[in-house]
Amino acid sequence: MQRILAPSMLSADFGHLERDTRMIDESEAQWVHIDVMDGVFVPNISFGFPVMKPIRRATGKTLDVHLMIVEPEKYVTRFVEAGADWVTFHVEATRDPRGCINLIRRAGAKAGVSIKPATPPEAIAGLLPQLDLVLVMSVEPGFGGQSFMPHSLEKIARLRSMIDGAGLATLIEVDGGISAANAAEVYAAGADALVAGSAVFGAADPKAEIRRILQSR
Ligand code: DX5
Ligand code: ZN
């Protein structure tokens, strides 16, 4: 199975967005992860549309946007217009996940749904055939630099068998507390893509760290 890595811009230096995006662009990482927080769905505020521009300009790589906002259906189309290739919203944040998925698709992007640590994969079973991606949060969303929650491994494995059992191509992405120390185990549990923020940007040599995570065993 192919391993995908999505370094998270949440841990980048916002005074040097172009430089930090170029670093990912020149690295072996395939995606760029963009965390949008509204201060309502999560107890933190990150950034929105204007910050997408310098990131989009600095890379041709896949922009993987993770929306931690309430009523995502109000904004998904604008994120696609701002350059998102994949748009993922939280199933806990909307009353109409199907409508939201349709809006993302109609705007021309791939659609993902994310589940918080307390939400079981079974909660989104009915949505799987419509989804390009499921993002399993392995920390409480809101902040970088937290520790990986071990119970996520079992959730990833359950989701893997649900997807494979149904013969679907839905990707599994895992976000929170990922480093070269646990990446191999998380990929082995069934993840296709991993997000890493502090592990990448906190490293002395971020590109080498990206390679270490991708090649970990
Ligand atoms: C947290 C965000 C993550 C965050 C991960 O709510 O969704 O993408 O940047 O950061 P690390 O890798 O430091 O746990
Ligand atoms: Zn994220």
Side-chain angles (χ1 to χ4, degrees):
M1 223 162 69
Q2 196 212 353
R3 288 179 168 190
I4 296 168
L5 185 64
S8 169
M9 294 303 292
L10 189 64
S11 294
D13 179 344
F14 288 7
H16 295 95
L17 273 181
E18 186 177 338
R19 179 198 69 191
D20 284 3
T21 309
R22 285 242 165 83
M23 180 282 292
I24 302 175
D25 192 66
E26 292 159 5
S27 78
E28 286 165 41
Q30 300 92 334
W31 294 359
V32 179
H33 189 78
I34 298 178
D35 289 300
V36 177
M37 305 179 184
D38 68 353
V40 180
F41 182 69
V42 290
N44 198 10
I45 298 177
S46 57
F47 51 76
F49 307 114
V51 174
M52 294 277 297
K53 282 189 193 153
I55 299 174
R56 181 70 289 176
R57 252 188 272 122
T59 183
K61 288 194 175 177
T62 298
L63 297 191
D64 166 37
V65 174
H66 175 195
L67 299 179
M68 287 161 274
I69 65 174
V70 296
E71 301 182 71
E73 54 277 2
K74 287 186 181 167
Y75 298 105
V76 289
T77 303
R78 282 185 65 190
F79 277 102
V80 179
E81 286 164 4
D85 299 293
W86 294 68
V87 177
T88 296
F89 63 91
H90 271 268
V91 71
E92 304 91 351
T94 177
R95 300 169 95 155
D96 184 17
R98 281 178 206 280
C100 201
I101 292 167
N102 288 337
L103 284 172
I104 296 168
R105 285 270 180 73
R106 232 174 282 149
K110 304 269 193 190
V113 147
S114 183
I115 53 174
K116 297 210 282 183
T119 305
E122 288 73 16
I124 51 131
L127 296 174
L128 280 178
Q130 283 180 275
L131 286 171
D132 298 296
L133 177 135
V134 178
L135 174 57
V136 176
M137 286 306 300
S138 43
V139 299
E140 285 301 337
F143 300 89
Q146 305 180 74
S147 302
F148 181 85
M149 297 167 95
H151 87 281
S152 320
L153 289 172
E154 196 234 331
K155 285 174 65 176
I156 297 160
R158 251 162 50 219
L159 190 56
R160 181 84 265 157
S161 43
M162 286 162 65
I163 290 169
D164 292 352
L168 297 168
T170 317
L171 297 184
I172 300 177
E173 184 176 29
V174 180
D175 184 3
I178 299 292
S179 71
N182 60 14
E185 193 180 12
V186 184
Y187 282 124
D192 301 283
L194 301 183
V195 176
S198 47
V200 167
F201 286 100
D205 183 345
K207 280 184 216 166
E209 197 58 30
I210 286 168
R211 184 172 311 129
R212 278 183 66 208
I213 295 171
L214 281 168
Q215 296 182 351
S216 62
R217 43 183 72 249

